[in-house]
């Protein structure tokens, strides 16, 4: 049996009102589950208290893996498996390895970032997204508050959202 949660949704028409509302709701001690918007809102990450993403560290690690795999592969092929001694050249001509090493570094870094992002964001092909309101893809901003993770009563959260400028407040069970 799937776990269901009760949410209170504050619907906002304007992004400036939304940013002020997020600050007021968080200052009131309410934990916001997520904010949905039809377009990027500048400053919403700071208002929600999100930390900087560590995806760049993941990209570096996958890039380092790509570099080491490319160099290991080429050195293994050119020096161990099939050494070519032509015209007195080195066993390991490192400068000629640079293009392949660069391409494999970029390939693994980009695929690693995309894969990690999809896993972290729960964007599985077989997953079912939570859609609180269809208007979030059109012109409304939604603040979703999970009642199970907050200590305040539903009526207090409802009043707080209305006082902060919400055009409507709804309850939804997912």
């Amino acid at each position: 049996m799937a776990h269901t949660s009760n949410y209170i949704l504050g619907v906002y028409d304007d992004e400036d009102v939304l940013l002020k509302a997020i600050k007021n709701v968080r200052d009131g001690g309410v934990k916001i589950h997520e904010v949905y918007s039809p377009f990027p809102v500048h400053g919403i990450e700071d208002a929600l208290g999100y930390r900087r993403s560590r995806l760049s560290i993941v990209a570096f690690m996958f890039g380092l893996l790509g570099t080491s795999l490319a160099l290991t592969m080429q050195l293994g092929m050119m020096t161990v498996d099939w050494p070519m001694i032509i015209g007195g050249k080195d066993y390991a001509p490192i400068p000629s390895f640079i293009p392949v090493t660069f391409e494999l570094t970029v390939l693994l870094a980009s695929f690693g970032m995309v894969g990690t992002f999809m896993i972290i964001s729960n964007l599985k092909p077989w997953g079912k997204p939570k859609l609180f309101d269809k208007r979030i893809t059109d012109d409304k901003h939604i603040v979703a508050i999970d009642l199970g993770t907050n200590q305040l009563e539903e009526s207090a959260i409802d009043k707080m959202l209305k006082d902060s400028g919400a055009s409507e407040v709804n309850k939804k069970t997912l």
Side-chain angles (χ1 to χ4, degrees):
M1 183 171 166
H3 174 68
T4 60
S5 296
N6 293 323
Y7 294 92
I8 291 185
L9 308 176
V11 181
Y12 293 89
D13 297 323
D14 186 35
E15 64 267 12
D16 294 327
V17 176
L18 173 73
L19 287 173
K20 290 177 187 169
I22 291 171
K23 184 178 179 335
N24 292 341
V25 169
R26 287 192 69 216
D27 289 344
V30 175
K31 185 177 182 304
I32 296 174
H33 172 70
E34 190 62 77
V35 175
Y36 299 94
S37 177
F39 52 84
V41 177
H42 180 68
I44 200 167
E45 301 91 5
D46 297 331
L48 288 169
Y50 287 165
R51 295 177 303 178
R52 184 167 183 242
S53 173
R54 292 183 286 201
L55 203 55
S56 58
I57 296 170
V58 171
F60 177 75
M61 298 306 282
F62 274 105
L64 197 60
L65 177 67
T67 301
S68 60
L69 284 176
L71 288 175
T72 303
M73 174 188 69
Q74 292 177 93
L75 284 170
M77 282 190 242
M78 295 297 285
T79 60
V80 177
D81 288 344
W82 196 266
M84 293 187 180
I85 307 168
I86 301 170
K89 292 182 182 176
D90 286 338
Y91 279 115
I94 300 293
S96 63
F97 294 169
I98 290 174
V100 174
T101 303
F102 173 77
E103 293 297 330
L104 201 55
T105 300
V106 171
L107 181 73
L108 284 186
S110 59
F111 281 176
M113 272 191 346
V114 168
T116 304
F117 176 76
M118 291 182 79
I119 290 169
I120 289 172
S121 300
N122 203 18
L123 294 173
K124 303 178 283 276
W126 60 87
K128 186 173 189 305
K130 290 182 182 178
L131 185 61
F132 290 102
D133 195 334
K134 289 187 178 187
R135 295 176 294 173
I136 61 174
T137 61
D138 187 23
D139 63 345
K140 302 292 184 190
H141 307 275
I142 306 286
V143 175
I145 298 172
D146 188 358
L147 291 174
T149 60
N150 286 293
Q151 301 298 325
L152 288 175
E153 294 180 14
E154 180 181 338
S155 59
I157 296 173
D158 188 276
K159 183 178 180 336
M160 190 180 298
L161 288 171
K162 286 180 182 173
D163 291 344
S164 67
S167 60
E168 61 184 82
V169 177
N170 303 322
K171 185 174 180 185
K172 184 146 186 169
T173 303
L174 289 179

